[in-house]
Amino acid sequence: MSFARPSVALLGATGSIGTQTLDVLRSQLGAFELVSIAGGQRVGELAAIAREFRVGRIGVLADADREVLADLVSDDVDIVVGSAGLAELAASADIVVNAVVGFAGLPVTMAALGAGKRLALANKESLIAAAPLVRMARETPGAVILPIDSEHCAIHQCLASSRGEPGHPDVRRLLLTASGGPFRGWSAQRLATATREDALHHPTWSMGPKITIDSSTLMNKGLEVLEASALFAIDVERIDVVVHPQSIVHSMVEYVDGSIIAQLSKPDMRLPIAYCLGLPGRLDHAWGEIDFTQPLELTFEKPDREAFPALALAYSAARRGGAAPAWLSAANEVAVEAFLADELAWSDIVATVAAVMDLYVDDPLDSLEDLVENDAVARQLAHGILKKQP
Ligand code: NDP
Ligand code: MG
C-alpha cells in the first residue's frame, strides 16, 4: 500500500454502508483517493458520486446500465460490468470496501484478497459462505481483512490488548452484543402478527433492508457468530451472544483472567468504517462520541433462543462446517427477499431456512465452483419450499 494517498475502491457505494463511507471520505478530504465505485439499481446515484469524487472507474450490473451511465458521466470514465467487473475493481485499489449486500459480494472479497489488498469488509455473507476458501486467500502476501461490521470491529480493537497468537489462548470467549432488534421481548404469539413495517423499524440502527430484516429475526446475529469465527479463527463454542438494547457496547472480549475489554460509542457505522480506512492510525473525527455528562444506561440480558431460532440454526451450521454456512446464508437471502416482497410471513423466514438446512448433506467446500453450485442448490430448495407456502 502506498502511504502517500491510499486508493479506495468502494463497491456497493449507493447503499447504507456505501454512503456512510462517502461521509467518512468527505471528512478526510485529500487523505484518500476514491478510484472506483460500483452499485446496483441506483445508476443515477453512481453518476453523482463519480462527479463529486472524480472517480475514474465504475462497476454496473449489466450492459443496459452501462449505456445509461455513459450518458451521465464524462467520456474518460471506464465502465465495467457484472461480477467480472466487480472483481477487476476489487483487485486494483489499496483499500477495498466491500459494501455490496448478499452473496453478490463474493467476487469482491475473493478478488481483493487474491490481489493482496486490504479488504474493509461489511459484506459478511461472502465471508460466511466462503469461509474455507477465504482462509486460503488470506495467505496472499499483503491480504488483510478489517471488519466494518460494528461488533467485529469492536472485537478487532479489543483483541489488540492480547498478544494475538494463533488460537488466542488468552481469550476465554468473544461476547457479541445484539440490540435484540424491534421484536425484543415479544412472545411467540405476538411474533406471529409481526408485519413488514414492524420488522423494518430497527430501534437503534438505520441500515439497508436485508440486514434490517436479519436483525429482526436475529439471523443477523447468527450470521455474525459465523463471521466472528471465520474472522478471528475462534471456534463458535467460544462465542456468546449478549443482548444489549442500547447498542453502545459494540462487543467484548473476555480473557482467561476474567478481565473483559469492550469498545463503546454511540451507534454510528462511520466509526468502524473510519477505523478500517485509517489503520494503523486513527482518523481524526469523532463519530459516535458519547456525552458522559448525560445519564447513560447500559443493560445486558440473554437472548430468547426459543422465540428466535435463527441463533441455534447458525451455531448448528457452524458445527457442520463445509458448505452448511453457505446454505444457511443463501436460504436466508431467498426468504428475506420473499418477505420484503410481501410473499412470506415474518415467522416463516427462519422456518424456511430451517427447512432448507434439514436437506443439507455434508460437503467440505473445496473450490469456488463448488461454492457457487451449493449456493444455487440452497436457493433452489428455498424457492421450492416457498412455492408450497399457502
Ligand atoms: P444496502 O441495501 O443499503 O446497500 C447494498 C449495496 O449493494 C447497494 O449499493 C446496492 O446497489 C449494491 N448491490 C446490490 N446488489 C448488487 C449486485 N448484484 N452487484 C453489485 N452491487 C449490488 O445494504 P447495506 O449497506 O445495509 O449492507 C451492505 C452490507 O454490509 C451487507 O452485507 C450488510 O450485512 C453489511 N452491514 C451493513 C450494516 C449497516 O449499517 N447498513 C452494518 C453491518 C454490516 P443499489 O442500491 O444501487 O441497487
Ligand atoms: Mg453487526
Side-chain angles (χ1 to χ4, degrees):
M1 191 172 114
S2 59
F3 285 96
R5 199 168 178 240
S7 59
V8 176
L10 174 55
L11 311 175
T14 49
S16 164
I17 292 292
T19 51
Q20 293 183 86
T21 304
L22 296 172
D23 278 351
V24 174
L25 295 175
R26 284 187 193 103
S27 78
Q28 307 292 323
L29 283 181
F32 298 93
E33 187 189 3
L34 185 61
V35 291
S36 58
I37 55 174
Q41 309 296 334
R42 291 177 269 193
V43 176
E45 292 181 27
L46 278 178
I49 299 166
R51 285 193 295 268
E52 180 186 347
F53 288 87
R54 298 176 189 276
V55 173
R57 304 188 79 192
I58 308 181
V60 292
L61 287 179
D63 287 327
D65 301 313
R66 182 212 288 262
E67 283 171 31
V68 174
L69 184 64
D71 287 340
L72 303 173
V73 294
S74 59
D75 290 345
D76 56 351
V77 172
D78 177 26
I79 304 176
V80 296
V81 178
S83 51
L86 279 180
E88 214 182 305
L89 300 182
S92 41
D94 297 323
I95 304 174
V96 179
V97 180
N98 188 352
V100 174
V101 61
F103 192 69
L106 181 70
V108 178
T109 293
M110 298 311 292
L113 295 175
K117 304 299 184 185
R118 171 189 296 200
L119 174 63
L121 183 67
N123 178 271
K124 61 192 89 181
E125 295 93 342
S126 60
L127 172 65
I128 291 161
L133 310 173
V134 166
R135 203 179 307 136
M136 288 185 272
R138 278 169 105 174
E139 302 291 320
T140 312
V144 60
I145 308 181
L146 294 180
I148 286 180
D149 209 352
S150 57
E151 296 78 2
H152 306 76
C153 186
I155 289 171
H156 196 273
Q157 295 176 61
C158 298
L159 283 175
S161 69
S162 57
R163 283 168 301 182
E165 302 94 332
H168 304 284
D170 291 346
V171 172
R172 180 174 289 149
R173 56 184 180 145
L174 308 181
L175 292 155
L176 285 181
T177 52
S179 70
F183 302 141
R184 182 175 65 90
W186 285 36
S187 64
Q189 204 179 11
R190 191 169 170 211
L191 283 171
T193 69
T195 66
R196 203 175 84 114
E197 282 58 44
D198 294 333
L200 281 171
H201 189 73
H202 195 280
T204 50
W205 295 99
S206 164
M207 310 180 283
K210 195 254 176 186
I211 183 173
T212 304
I213 300 306
D214 286 348
S215 299
S216 77
T217 58
L218 289 206
M219 182 58 86
N220 182 50
K221 211 47 56 177
L223 295 174
E224 289 185 353
V225 168
L226 288 155
E227 181 185 8
S229 175
L231 272 171
F232 304 114
I234 283 189
D235 195 273
V236 285
E237 312 308 336
R238 288 164 71 199
I239 304 174
D240 278 338
V241 173
V242 182
V243 172
H244 166 51
Q246 297 84 12
S247 300
I248 299 283
V249 173
H250 295 300
S251 275
M252 303 175 267
V253 175
E254 184 183 299
Y255 287 89
V256 289
D257 62 358
S259 186
I260 292 176
I261 311 276
Q263 184 260 330
L264 285 72
S265 75
K266 283 206 247 171
D268 189 328
M269 288 308 296
R270 291 171 295 188
L271 173 53
I273 293 166
Y275 175 81
C276 292
L277 294 180
L279 221 66
R282 296 251 180 189
L283 303 184
D284 188 0
H285 188 112
W287 304 105
E289 196 174 12
I290 297 172
D291 178 0
F292 284 102
T293 66
Q294 299 301 313
L296 179 67
E297 192 185 33
L298 303 177
T299 59
F300 301 91
E301 62 197 48
K302 63 178 186 186
D304 183 345
R305 286 170 191 269
E306 269 173 42
F308 298 97
L311 272 181
L313 277 178
Y315 275 93
S316 158
R319 287 179 194 117
R320 293 195 77 169
W327 277 50
L328 181 89
S329 186
N332 180 58
E333 270 190 54
V334 171
V336 170
E337 269 165 32
F339 174 74
L340 284 169
D342 275 331
E343 293 163 8
L344 191 68
W346 181 86
S347 49
D348 288 332
I349 300 173
V350 175
T352 303
V353 179
V356 171
M357 294 314 289
D358 281 344
L359 302 170
Y360 175 66
V361 180
D362 285 319
D363 179 328
L365 202 62
D366 42 30
S367 70
L368 213 46
E369 294 70 37
D370 193 11
L371 170 59
V372 171
E373 202 180 301
N374 269 286
D375 175 78
V377 170
R379 277 169 202 270
Q380 206 178 6
L381 291 170
H383 282 297
I385 289 162
L386 289 180
K387 275 207 195 106
K388 289 190 200 134
Q389 296 283 326

